[in-house]
Amino acid sequence: MKIDLIVGARPNYMKAAPIYRALKKYPTEFQCRLVHTGQHYDEKMSHIFFKELELPQPDIFLGVGSGLHGEQTGKIMISYEKEVLKDKPDVILVAGDVNSTAACSLVAAKLHIKVGHVEAGLRSRDRSMPEEINRIVTDGISDYLFTTSRDADDNLQQEGIPKEKIFFVGNTMIDSLNYYLPKAGEEKYRFNDKRILKRGYILVTLHRPSNVDSAETMKGLLETFATIQNRMPIIFPLHPRTQKMLATFGMDKQLAQMPNLIITEPLGYLEFLSLQKDAFLLLTDSGGIQEETTVLGIPCLTMRENTERPITVWEGTNELVGNDPKRILERTLAIIDGEKKTGKIPDLWDGHAAERIVEILRNMK
Ligand code: UD1
């Protein structure tokens, strides 16, 4: 079976790496090409993840780079179609909800190549998010829908997707978390700053257009961070989009003046995991971090009004706080004062999801 494993943006790499490893265990059964669209292309947004997750150089690099959504999606489709016409895979595997996921799925489906979607069925029910559109499109044309939780199975069935196509396998992002957690504990990945003490800091990430593209929202968030860092140090690795918007709004200096807020570049997988596992609290608008904190048992306040990962709220340590400064501050201070949410690890988030996916593919032949 010839398989194209697609990656494009930062959240794809840790979902794909365990699948790559699991496929490589059967060299006589699978011929796997690693395809990188180049949606993310920086050392810090891409290359470092390949090194740390022990992925080889991609077999195919499309090099599309940044752009408007239509432009980026279109460029990926044009380039990937050419590759597929040269050498046609039997199956492509895409992960998550980024533009690369939807673009490559569309190309494959139209050329009658089977599509396997890893992390299928998640729904925020918020179509103003580009990721929600990517999820709906990808799921609608996929042949194998690999889900991380039972609510995702329900979402898919409600949309008319036959049960036979849906496979509840668990979470490949958690496969990577479990696999790399011991390594992330090594001294060389520890963040070096005297203010950063185990369970004594808040880790912040922010990059959603709904949070960072508006000056007013950003201003409110920065004021909240200014108050919080008086109680507990904050570490804030800046996503390129956030960095760009802060500079555009002239707010970068304000951020630099907060004495207990430490700004860094985007961090590699292991350094970020090391910071995450020892944090007191995560304040984020990321998707994956909601899941990782649930497994690590660390409180997470998600600065969004909705989530496509409700299991992290029902069963895990996650709580939605939107982007209202007052609400974020109230909840953060309450947690600092001891009001912590505890949770459990969701079903099948056990480090073996990729192996289940590969077993399903072996039985398909
Ligand atoms: C994309 C995903 C989002 C995911 C996020 C993780 C979509 C629709 N969005 O959003 O779901 O959570 O990745 O990061 O696919 N840039 C760089 N270097 C890079 C890549 C991007 O500097 O290597 C800058 C560019 O200025 C670019 C901006 O970041 O315009 C945004 O990148 P883009 O890929 O468009 O979207 P993300 O916001 O990263």
Side-chain angles (χ1 to χ4, degrees):
M1 187 186 275
K2 282 159 79 174
I3 297 192
D4 275 5
L5 181 59
I6 313 288
V7 295
R10 188 167 62 176
N12 291 152
Y13 315 129
M14 55 294 262
K15 293 170 193 168
I19 301 176
Y20 187 82
R21 231 179 9 252
L23 287 171
K24 285 287 165 188
K25 283 192 190 144
Y26 303 98
T28 55
E29 294 181 45
F30 298 110
Q31 206 182 318
C32 177
R33 288 198 300 196
L34 187 61
V35 180
H36 189 338
T37 66
Q39 175 174 349
H40 286 174
Y41 44 84
D42 278 356
E43 168 66 27
K44 303 279 175 186
M45 298 297 285
S46 178
H47 305 166
I48 188 167
F49 289 84
F50 271 72
K51 277 178 244 153
E52 293 189 344
L53 294 163
E54 298 159 280
L55 282 167
Q57 288 292 314
D59 299 289
I60 296 176
F61 183 67
L62 304 177
V64 298
S66 300
L68 297 170
H69 283 270
E71 183 191 4
Q72 189 176 58
T73 308
K75 275 187 183 165
I76 298 169
M77 290 183 69
I78 293 167
S79 310
Y80 185 50
E81 187 175 53
K82 286 185 185 146
E83 295 297 337
V84 165
L85 289 174
K86 271 190 253 163
D87 188 0
K88 209 167 167 178
D90 301 301
V91 177
I92 76 158
L93 293 176
V94 294
D97 54 17
V98 301
N99 287 341
S100 304
T101 310
C104 292
S105 306
L106 273 166
V107 168
K110 292 199 176 194
L111 291 170
H112 309 151
I113 296 163
K114 301 272 186 234
V115 178
H117 185 201
V118 177
E119 202 186 88
L122 297 182
R123 295 289 180 272
S124 65
R125 322 226 176 263
D126 174 1
R127 291 199 181 190
S128 69
M129 287 177 78
E131 292 83 358
E132 184 75 352
I133 307 294
N134 291 337
R135 289 179 203 117
I136 293 167
V137 167
T138 307
D139 286 339
I141 56 177
S142 287
D143 300 280
Y144 313 123
L145 296 105
F146 300 114
T147 62
T148 53
S149 55
R150 290 285 184 200
D151 57 292
D153 296 17
D154 298 341
N155 292 337
L156 292 170
Q157 282 186 260
Q158 275 164 25
E159 290 175 18
I161 292 174
K163 234 165 127 174
E164 302 73 54
K165 289 186 172 183
I166 305 170
F167 304 91
F168 172 45
V169 293
N171 193 327
T172 63
M173 180 175 241
I174 302 307
D175 293 1
S176 279
L177 179 92
N178 288 355
Y179 189 83
Y180 286 105
L181 206 51
K183 195 161 187 196
E186 290 172 16
E187 185 63 38
K188 64 177 170 207
Y189 297 112
R190 186 161 306 159
F191 191 79
N192 202 358
D193 187 295
K194 283 197 293 295
R195 290 165 288 182
I196 298 303
L197 302 172
K198 194 167 179 172
R199 302 271 171 265
Y201 59 91
I202 297 171
L203 182 56
V204 173
T205 82
L206 200 62
H207 76 285
R208 295 273 161 215
S210 58
N211 282 329
V212 305
D213 286 2
S214 141
E216 200 189 328
T217 306
M218 191 83 109
K219 183 168 171 275
L221 292 175
L222 293 199
E223 281 167 9
T224 314
F225 298 161
T227 312
I228 295 172
Q229 54 98 47
N230 283 325
R231 283 288 304 274
M232 194 178 268
I234 292 179
I235 174 152
F236 187 6
L238 284 186
H239 184 281
R241 172 194 284 280
T242 312
Q243 194 162 21
K244 197 162 68 184
M245 295 316 291
L246 282 167
T248 307
F249 302 145
M251 294 176 187
D252 40 354
K253 287 175 205 74
Q254 186 186 341
L255 202 60
Q257 278 160 7
M258 298 181 199
N260 286 317
L261 187 144
I262 303 156
I263 299 164
T264 75
E265 295 185 289
L267 300 174
Y269 183 70
L270 294 170
E271 199 174 4
F272 191 82
L273 189 53
S274 157
L275 273 174
Q276 204 177 175
K277 78 179 178 53
D278 289 340
F280 175 77
L281 165 71
L282 266 284
L283 258 176
T284 190
D285 60 5
S286 150
I289 290 173
Q290 298 173 50
E291 299 182 338
E292 289 170 339
T293 46
T294 273
V295 171
L296 294 167
I298 291 171
C300 178
L301 294 179
T302 297
M303 294 180 283
R304 288 173 47 190
E305 292 298 343
N306 51 56
T307 178
E308 61 289 336
R309 295 163 160 88
I311 197 161
T312 61
V313 177
W314 301 330
E315 296 189 6
T317 55
N318 188 25
E319 202 183 316
L320 299 181
V321 288
N323 58 18
D324 170 31
K326 199 166 148 257
R327 193 156 147 223
I328 297 171
L329 186 62
E330 251 172 44
R331 290 307 302 144
T332 303
L333 296 181
I335 293 173
I336 292 176
D337 291 334
E339 204 185 287
K340 269 193 204 167
K341 184 173 180 238
T342 53
K344 69 172 186 96
I345 298 178
D347 269 1
L348 300 192
W349 291 18
D350 58 359
H352 300 289
E355 291 156 34
R356 289 185 198 103
I357 291 172
V358 169
E359 273 317 303
I360 291 163
L361 293 173
R362 293 182 75 202
N363 291 324
M364 289 291 167
K365 290 192 297 182

